[in-house]
């Protein structure tokens, strides 16, 4: 399936459920879409380092000239809070009983995700790869706004 | 590249079509049935190993112990 078609499908689902579904169901759809976009963001960065989606066991070749191992490590250090936030979001959904108030842990997770994504591209060189990354970050931030709308709709902090 | 799990989407569509065949034509009713059928719970459970694998790879890429 082409990437654009996949994203069209994901975002149609997000917006459909955001406007029609129960808050927890919206959150579940957001969880899936957020994983996809963060996984793609990480994959694009790894492609810049070694030409593969994951550089585990692969030699570093600086596929994108100037994108060194040190820069890659710094990037992923900044990305890690977003991934931890996404995992925390998934864990929180497991314990959130449908129909009950929104868990108190959601607002700080949303803040952590947003802060991490703001920091993540600061050192990345301008070019096609950075443009692609900014696209993913834009999508991720849209998803975060969806999660935030759940908080606001339920009267959370 | 990572993809949306199309099998999950097809499963949802199949379930929706079966409900329509049974005469349940309201999308709201279908959606509620899907939620009640545990689709959300199954999705949450299915996402956990994916999140863990992504976290482990990002930790490795950051130069940290992957499973730490």
């Amino acid at each position: 399936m082409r990437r654009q078609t996949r994203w069209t499908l994901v975002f149609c689902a997000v917006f459909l459920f955001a406007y029609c579904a129960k808050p927890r169901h919206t959150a579940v759809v957001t969880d899936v879409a957020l994983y996809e976009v963060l996984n793609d963001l990480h994959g694009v960065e790894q492609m810049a380092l070694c030409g593969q989606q994951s550089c585990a066991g692969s030699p570093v070749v600086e596929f994108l000239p100037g994108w060194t191992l040190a820069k890659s490590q710094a990037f992923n250090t900044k990305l890690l809070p977003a991934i931890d936030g996404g995992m925390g979001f998934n864990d929180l959904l497991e314990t959130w009983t449908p129909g009950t108030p929104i868990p108190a842990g959601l607002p700080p997770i949303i803040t952590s995700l947003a802060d991490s994504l703001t920091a993540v591209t600061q050192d990345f060189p301008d070019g096609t790869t950075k443009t692609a990354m900014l696209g993913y970050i834009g999508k991720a931030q849209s998803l975060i706004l969806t999660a935030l709308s759940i908080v606001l709709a339920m009267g959370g902090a | 590249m990572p993809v949306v799990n199309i099998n999950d989407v097809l499963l949802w569509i199949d379930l929706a079509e079966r409900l329509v065949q049974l005469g349940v034509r309201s999308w709201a009713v279908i959606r509620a049935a899907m939620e009640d059928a545990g689709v959300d719970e199954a999705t949450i459970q299915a996402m956990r190993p994916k999140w863990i694998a992504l976290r482990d790879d990002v930790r490795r890429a950051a130069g940290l112990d992957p499973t730490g």
Side-chain angles (χ1 to χ4, degrees):
Chain A
M1 188 184 297
R2 290 181 56 211
R3 172 178 296 276
Q4 188 174 359
T5 308
R6 293 203 316 265
W7 278 114
T8 302
L9 191 138
V10 167
F11 280 94
C12 283
V14 167
F15 285 112
L16 178 68
F17 288 119
Y19 286 105
C20 304
K22 298 171 186 173
R24 184 171 177 275
H25 187 62
T26 304
V28 172
V29 176
T30 301
D31 179 40
V32 176
L34 189 61
Y35 165 81
E36 294 292 343
V37 75
L38 292 178
N39 193 33
D40 280 353
L41 183 61
H42 173 60
V44 166
E45 184 281 326
Q46 292 284 275
M47 286 288 289
L49 183 66
C50 67
Q52 298 186 43
Q53 285 286 297
S54 172
C55 298
S58 300
V60 173
V61 293
E62 293 187 27
F63 207 72
L64 180 69
W67 191 246
T68 63
L69 179 61
K71 287 181 179 175
S72 172
Q73 288 182 337
F75 175 97
N76 283 287
T77 300
K78 290 176 182 174
L79 182 61
L80 194 53
I83 308 300
D84 285 339
M87 250 190 88
F89 188 53
N90 191 75
D91 290 346
L92 183 144
L93 291 177
E94 276 193 285
T95 60
W96 182 7
T97 306
T100 61
I102 195 162
L106 184 56
I109 285 174
I110 293 171
T111 303
S112 171
L113 273 161
D115 289 348
S116 174
L117 291 173
T118 301
V120 84
T121 56
Q122 284 175 351
D123 301 327
F124 214 84
D126 288 336
T128 308
T129 304
K130 184 168 186 174
T131 302
M133 283 189 167
L134 291 174
Y136 288 128
I137 288 174
K139 288 170 184 170
Q141 287 172 333
S142 296
L143 292 167
I144 291 168
L145 286 175
T146 301
L148 190 59
S149 73
I150 297 168
V151 176
L152 294 175
M154 297 193 70
Chain B
M1 299 293 282
V3 297
V4 172
N5 189 336
I6 194 65
N7 289 329
D8 289 346
V9 175
L10 292 174
L11 184 67
W12 289 24
I13 293 171
D14 180 59
L15 177 59
E17 286 177 349
R18 285 171 189 270
L19 287 167
V20 170
Q21 287 168 2
L22 289 172
V24 183
R25 296 190 179 278
S26 162
W27 173 243
V29 173
I30 293 171
R31 190 187 63 237
M34 286 164 63
E35 291 171 12
D36 291 345
V39 172
D40 278 353
E41 307 310 317
T43 303
I44 294 166
Q45 294 298 327
M47 289 309 296
R48 180 160 179 76
K50 292 184 177 185
W51 276 115
I52 291 172
L54 178 59
R55 184 204 55 187
D56 290 353
D57 201 55
V58 172
R59 285 185 61 84
R60 175 202 54 74
L64 303 171
D65 175 10
T67 56

